[in-house]
């Protein structure tokens, strides 16, 4: 038989990107387009998993690729 536990905190979603610390207008710089695309997909998953209404935008900049939180 199994015991049901209550008030056990659900572990935070593990991600290597600091999306939970980002505010509107904050961004992350990437040297490589492939790494930037992986972060963009991770950001979309983070938003869905946490049921947020955030938006992210990936753009080419002079020194690489930058992922902004725009909403």
């Amino acid at each position: 038989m199994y015991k049901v536990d209550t008030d056990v905190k659900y572990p935070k979603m593990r991600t290597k990107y600091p999306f939970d610390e980002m505010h509107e207008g904050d961004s992350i710089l990437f040297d490589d387009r492939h790494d930037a695309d992986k972060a963009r997909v991770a950001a979309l998953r983070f938003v869905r998993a946490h049921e947020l209404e955030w938006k992210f935008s990936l753009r080419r900049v002079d020194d690489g690729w930058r992922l902004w939180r725009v909403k």
Side-chain angles (χ1 to χ4, degrees):
M1 184 134 248
Y2 295 98
K3 177 183 166 214
V4 175
D5 296 321
T6 57
D7 297 325
V8 176
K9 287 191 175 193
Y10 191 76
K12 287 181 85 174
M13 184 176 174
R14 293 188 306 172
T15 180
K16 65 180 181 178
Y17 308 105
F19 300 131
D20 58 340
E21 299 172 15
M22 293 180 78
H23 300 283
E24 259 184 70
D26 290 351
S27 65
I28 303 171
L29 178 66
F30 298 91
D31 296 331
D32 182 64
R33 171 68 191 256
H34 181 72
D35 292 340
D37 281 333
K38 289 192 314 188
R40 182 185 58 80
V41 171
L44 295 174
R45 288 183 179 159
F46 179 86
V47 167
R48 278 193 209 132
H50 290 87
E51 298 178 353
L52 303 170
E53 294 190 19
W54 294 4
K55 300 286 183 196
F56 286 86
S57 180
L58 179 65
R59 295 285 186 264
R60 175 89 170 116
V61 292
D62 291 337
D63 47 352
W65 294 87
R66 195 167 281 279
L67 181 67
W68 276 275
R69 179 180 160 201
V70 294
K71 178 181 174 191

